[in-house]
Amino acid sequence: MPRNELSRVVGISPPLDGVSARVVNHGTQLEVRNGGREALTVAGHLIAPGENVRFRDDRLAGDRWEIPIGASVVQGVVERYPPPPVWLWMGVVAVLAVAGAWVVRSRWGLVAGVGVVALAHVVHAVGSTLAVTGGAFLPLFLGASGVGVVCWPLAVVAGVAAARGKSAASFVAAVVGAMLVVAGIPDFDSFRFAQLPFAGPGVVDRVLVALTLGGGAGLAVGGFLRMRKELAR
C-alpha cells in the first residue's frame, strides 16, 4: 500500500562474502541471498548456499534496525518522504474530467479518449504487478487488474464501434469510463502518499491514476451526453 516511509538496507556488518540483503515488496519484507559457501541463519530461517529467502519482520519498521545474520547483522534505516500536494492532483483529475467530456464529442475524440483511459489503467496494473517480488506475474496481474479485465475488452469494442461510426459506441464508452472510475477509486491514495507500490517513478503512477479517474469520469459524462444527443436525432 502507499506510504510516506520506506525501510532500506544500508549494509551487512561485518560483510559476509557472497551474501546480500535488500528490502522488497514496498518495505514489507527482507530478502537475503546467500551466495557464499556456508549456510546462514537469519530470523529463524536457514539459508543454504545458493538460496534466498524473503520474510516479514517487525524490526523493519524501526527508524534504525538490525537483524542478526550468522555472525554479522543486517543494518537498515527507515527513510521518510513528504507527501505530494493532494489538492494539486485533485485539480489535475478535474481538468482531465472536463477535457475528457469535451474530447469525446467527436468520433475520433471518442476513439482516442477511450484508448488513452484504458491504456492508462493497463499500464498502472502492469506497473503495480512488476513492483511485487517473488510472485508469478499472471495471478498478480489479474489481481491488480480488477474490473479492468472486463473494461479493457469493452474499451476495444467502444473504440472500434466509434471508428466505424456506430451509435452504440457512446453507450459502451460511458460504461467503460464509469467502471474505470470505480476501479480507480482505491488508488486515490496515490495522491496522498509519497511512496507508491509501482515499478517506476511515483509521478508516473499518479498521472496514470489521474487519467483513469479524470479521464474515466470524462468518458462517462461525455459518452452519456453524446448518447442523449444521438437518441434525440
Side-chain angles (χ1 to χ4, degrees):
M1 59 182 299
R3 56 184 61 194
N4 288 328
E5 68 286 327
L6 276 184
S7 185
R8 71 176 180 87
V9 171
V10 296
I12 298 177
S13 181
L16 293 171
D17 188 30
V19 179
S20 61
R22 61 174 181 158
V23 177
V24 298
N25 291 333
H26 209 51
T28 61
Q29 291 184 305
L30 180 65
E31 180 183 77
V32 179
R33 176 169 179 76
N34 184 4
R37 296 182 177 180
E38 299 180 357
L40 292 170
T41 299
V42 54
H45 302 274
L46 181 64
I47 315 174
E51 291 185 339
N52 66 319
V53 298
R54 288 179 292 276
F55 59 90
R56 294 178 182 272
D57 195 299
D58 292 340
R59 285 171 285 191
L60 295 178
D63 287 342
R64 290 185 176 276
W65 51 266
E66 290 186 348
I67 297 178
I69 175 171
S72 300
V73 292
V74 181
Q75 299 174 322
V77 297
V78 171
E79 295 182 329
R80 306 186 189 286
Y81 304 86
V86 61
W87 291 110
L88 171 63
W89 285 100
M90 289 299 297
V92 172
V93 171
V95 169
L96 288 172
V98 173
W102 182 80
V103 165
V104 301
R105 294 185 306 169
S106 70
R107 181 175 68 169
W108 293 109
L110 185 60
V111 174
V114 75
V116 168
V117 174
L119 181 62
H121 193 246
V122 171
V123 176
H124 168 72
V126 172
S128 300
T129 302
L130 294 178
V132 179
T133 299
F137 179 85
L138 184 58
L140 291 171
F141 177 67
L142 292 176
S145 303
V147 73
V149 175
V150 177
C151 287
W152 302 336
L154 285 178
V156 175
V157 171
V160 172
R164 298 176 63 183
K166 302 294 184 181
S167 58
S170 302
F171 172 73
V172 180
V175 171
V176 169
M179 292 178 70
L180 287 178
V181 169
V182 173
I185 287 176
D187 296 317
F188 180 81
D189 279 348
S190 300
F191 304 141
R192 300 176 54 235
F193 293 95
Q195 298 298 315
L196 309 179
F198 182 78
V203 66
V204 172
D205 195 29
R206 291 187 190 96
V207 169
L208 295 172
V209 173
L211 281 169
T212 301
L213 290 173
L219 273 182
V221 174
F224 176 73
L225 294 176
R226 181 187 169 100
M227 181 183 68
R228 284 190 60 187
K229 185 177 179 181
E230 291 170 343
L231 291 175
R233 289 176 182 170

